[in-house]
Amino acid sequence: MQDMRSTDVLNPYKEQQISYYDKSTRKVLISDREVPFPEGKLIVSRTDLEGIITHANQSFVEMSAYSEQEIIHAPHYILRHPDMPRAAFKDLWDTIRCKKKWHGYVKNLRKDGAYYWVYATVIPNIRAGKIVGYTSVRRKPSRLKVRECTQLYAQMLKEEQNQ
Ligand SMILES: Cc1cc2nc3c(=O)[nH]c(=O)nc-3n(C[C@H](O)[C@H](O)[C@H](O)COP(=O)(O)O)c2cc1C
């Protein structure tokens, strides 16, 4: 995955190197600007078994700030924000691989370095008893939950960094 480019990102921003589960790494540029979840919209994406994006609705594309071409066939971690603890995604994958539904609050990173919070429901798509992919539908999260998760995730991240 390509590094984020300073020309795409509004000032001021800070730089961070992220390493992903598949061992690839990427430089991300993060600004402290939140983009509010669009009123009355659902943000939807589908992935294959490895979390590669196979479909994204219009709201998904708009909120990510990437073009549809950049998003389709990209790994879903293209949106991973460095403030998200690994444990949240481990819980997501452990749950959906067991054919169960996962709910959770996620802070996502946009192409322009800004972030947005979602309340996500991720479900496995099952055909003839086998998982063929996954779908995530995201709604506007309550501000109370966003505040709680901001604190909780910061604590979890600190513990992960001390391990
Ligand atoms: C259907 C589906 C939707 C996902 N949506 C997101 C998302 O919006 N943001 C995100 O950071 N990770 C999302 N993930 C999790 C990523 O695949 C990935 O596990 C995560 O970004 C952490 O990266 P890492 O596992 O490579 O460390 C989603 C996974 C699935 C299967």
Side-chain angles (χ1 to χ4, degrees), residues 101-115:
K101 192 190 272 193
W102 183 88
H103 298 280
Y105 295 87
V106 181
K107 181 177 185 176
N108 274 331
L109 178 64
R110 293 163 47 103
K111 183 182 181 178
D112 61 9
Y115 66 90

Side-chain angles (χ1 to χ4, degrees), residues 20-21 47 76-77 80 86 89 93 108 122 134 136 138:
Y20 301 100
Y21 191 73
T47 73
H76 222 308
Y77 62 61
R80 178 170 152 207
R86 284 178 188 285
F89 296 117
W93 281 102
N108 274 331
V122 187
Y134 302 101
S136 178
R138 303 160 185 92

Side-chain angles (χ1 to χ4, degrees), residues 17-54:
Q17 194 76 18
I18 308 195
S19 50
Y20 301 100
Y21 191 73
D22 64 8
K23 309 240 185 309
S24 61
T25 61
R26 181 190 188 205
K27 184 174 75 179
V28 293
L29 307 178
I30 311 139
S31 91
D32 207 16
R33 185 171 65 94
E34 178 169 11
V35 176
F37 193 101
E39 283 303 332
K41 296 276 171 70
L42 293 175
I43 297 180
V44 183
S45 61
R46 284 204 299 268
T47 73
D48 67 9
L49 294 176
E50 270 76 50
I52 304 294
I53 301 172
T54 54

Side-chain angles (χ1 to χ4, degrees), residues 105-160:
Y105 295 87
V106 181
K107 181 177 185 176
N108 274 331
L109 178 64
R110 293 163 47 103
K111 183 182 181 178
D112 61 9
Y115 66 90
Y116 60 101
W117 278 94
V118 301
Y119 176 61
T121 301
V122 187
I123 54 160
N125 306 321
I126 297 170
R127 303 273 177 277
K130 280 206 167 133
I131 304 177
V132 294
Y134 302 101
T135 300
S136 178
V137 179
R138 303 160 185 92
R139 295 176 172 74
K140 187 181 174 79
S142 84
R143 289 322 292 181
L144 177 63
K145 287 290 180 189
V146 168
R147 276 198 297 276
E148 284 176 8
C149 287
T150 303
Q151 282 185 3
L152 175 67
Y153 291 169
Q155 189 57 40
M156 288 166 71
L157 207 57
K158 217 191 263 172
E159 282 162 21
E160 287 177 4

